[in-house]
Amino acid sequence: METVESKVKDQLDVFALRDQFPVLARKVHDGKPLVYLDNAATAQRPLKVIEAMDEFYRYYNANVHRGVHQLSVEASEAFEGARESVRRLLNADSIREIVFTRGTTEAINLVAQAYLRPRLKEGDEILITHMEHHSNIVPWQILCEQTGAVLKVAPINHQGELLVDELAAMINERTRLIGMVHVSNALGTINPVEEVCRIARQHNVPVLVDGAQATPHMAVDVQALGCDFYCISAHKMYGPTGIGALWAGESTLEEMPPWQGGGEMINRVSFDGTTYNDLPHKFEAGTPNISGAIGFGKAVEFLEETGLEGIVWQEERLLDYATEKMQAVDGLTVIGTAKHKGPVVSFTLEGAHPNDIGTIVDHYGVAIRTGHHCAMPVMQFFGVPATARVSFAPYNLRNEIDIFVKALGKAREMLA
């Protein structure tokens, strides 16, 4: 282990990184060290994020954009500073293109209702992929019910890869939007977003990308990708829960009507009518999640300081090591074997329900995910009710994978 981890330290000081996450020092179940392998559900928070949110509430808690006193000015500056951090993360042109939302789900719903709904007619089509999770399915289904539009689904293969040629063949004169995940939470597949966007542009079809699982694990450049909408969640990338962002080009956002009314989204109100605020505030009704935004900004700084190159390096090695070790377990089947994968391994174990696997390994201190991962159509495609899933962050160690595989062996002895 020492040799292995010292090699890792040449690229990324994993032990120094772990020191930034207080929860990783926890003991669970009668003193067992916590092995946290549920990062695709939500990542842990570094001290930088925790302390920034604590500092806001301790020393300058105030509402933003509404007061002239010092605390309000300080809160407003920190809030807008976080927006600039998110702009930098995505390489957006302007902070006017960054709309704070409650997360990826709300960002997708915002696009569905404020952008696409006014443009849809009965019989128009929305095209998504078979590997979407529910947040990139249900908003479009609701929209179809409201407008008479039709939801189309592009197929995947049994490696869990999108069949791009078949997706391209499904685009027609009625296609009004393509919605796709950048990295699948259920399979780990990294989709060829840039290629799909190139094809979509040939047909003047806008593309929305669900980037919740991508931003913690790879550099994202919305201009290079060529997409029209990009949606993210802070808590997947070491920030707080309950906040995320929608990116869209400024001209697109200008064309969209407000989605929700009240609070910060107004400019002037009378009983005769209302004029709306400038971008991006037009889409941020009510008092925003100020502490969440500040924590979000610090999470971006954490990624920048750690370095995405080192993160990718570490996570690829964890993925390779875990896949090799797990495939040696009798009766284990990996679900999702795409050539390009993020740090996720979903699996089934012959004779064992995933929930029972999760319960048993938890007693050995190992936190994993079990269930349908909010992606029931993916489970149906592979003919399984659920899977167990391990997912990695750069603070994970190879010896934690060893602990997990040993616990998995115990589960197999008890269940299979």
Side-chain angles (χ1 to χ4, degrees), residues 93-379:
D93 263 342
S94 163
I95 60 170
R96 290 166 58 85
E97 299 176 342
I98 304 298
V99 178
F100 283 131
T101 64
R102 287 186 298 158
T104 300
T105 300
E106 186 173 77
I108 295 171
N109 277 276
L110 195 166
V111 174
Q113 294 298 323
Y115 173 79
L116 196 53
R117 184 173 180 177
R119 291 168 167 79
L120 277 186
K121 296 177 182 174
E122 185 174 353
D124 284 346
E125 297 179 1
I126 303 165
L127 181 56
I128 61 175
T129 82
H130 205 115
M131 72 178 78
E132 304 305 319
H133 70 146
H134 300 164
S135 292
N136 204 22
I137 300 172
V138 180
W140 310 119
Q141 289 176 328
I142 292 173
L143 191 56
C144 288
E145 291 170 2
Q146 293 169 334
T147 63
V150 179
L151 187 65
K152 298 285 187 177
V153 181
I156 59 176
N157 62 25
H158 279 82
Q159 286 70 52
E161 297 167 322
L162 176 65
L163 299 177
V164 176
D165 289 344
E166 296 198 26
L167 179 145
M170 295 175 73
I171 300 173
N172 59 53
E173 69 279 1
R174 302 303 302 267
T175 308
R176 296 291 176 260
L177 183 132
I178 297 172
M180 66 184 301
V181 66
H182 199 162
V183 179
S184 165
N185 70 316
L187 304 171
T189 306
I190 299 175
N191 273 321
V193 170
E194 194 169 350
E195 181 182 1
V196 171
C197 290
R198 179 181 55 76
I199 295 167
R201 278 199 303 277
Q202 296 171 356
H203 300 271
N204 294 318
V205 175
V207 177
L208 175 143
V209 182
D210 170 353
Q213 297 290 342
T215 46
H217 307 296
M218 62 177 67
V220 172
D221 182 335
V222 292
Q223 299 188 61
L225 288 175
C227 58
D228 300 86
F229 304 96
Y230 201 91
C231 310
I232 60 176
S233 291
H235 75 102
K236 307 286 190 185
M237 43 178 284
Y238 315 105
T241 57
I243 190 161
L246 165 70
W247 168 84
E250 193 169 332
S251 61
T252 302
L253 291 173
E254 289 283 13
E255 292 175 6
M256 293 164 54
W259 182 41
Q260 298 173 325
E264 186 63 22
M265 55 77 68
I266 61 95
N267 183 22
R268 184 178 182 279
V269 177
S270 73
F271 288 119
D272 296 324
T274 297
T275 58
Y276 304 120
N277 207 340
D278 294 333
L279 292 176
H281 309 296
K282 183 172 74 172
F283 297 104
E284 296 177 353
T287 297
N289 182 355
I290 303 167
S291 65
I294 292 169
F296 192 1
K298 294 300 177 183
V300 173
E301 291 180 13
F302 165 78
L303 285 172
E304 292 172 333
E305 292 165 0
T306 304
L308 277 165
E309 185 179 347
I311 290 173
V312 172
W313 189 92
Q314 166 74 342
E315 290 178 344
E316 284 181 348
R317 277 146 189 80
L318 291 169
L319 176 63
D320 291 344
Y321 186 71
T323 302
E324 177 187 346
K325 289 287 184 179
M326 291 167 66
Q327 285 179 330
V329 176
D330 286 343
L332 188 145
T333 301
V334 174
I335 305 295
T337 54
K339 183 177 180 181
H340 301 292
K341 281 188 65 174
V344 170
V345 186
S346 285
F347 65 96
T348 59
L349 189 62
E350 188 177 351
H353 193 281
N355 287 349
D356 294 331
I357 296 171
T359 300
I360 292 172
V361 300
D362 175 57
H363 283 279
Y364 290 89
V366 184
I368 68 170
R369 191 69 160 192
T370 62
H372 52 65
H373 315 298
C374 297
M376 286 183 180
V378 174
M379 301 298 120

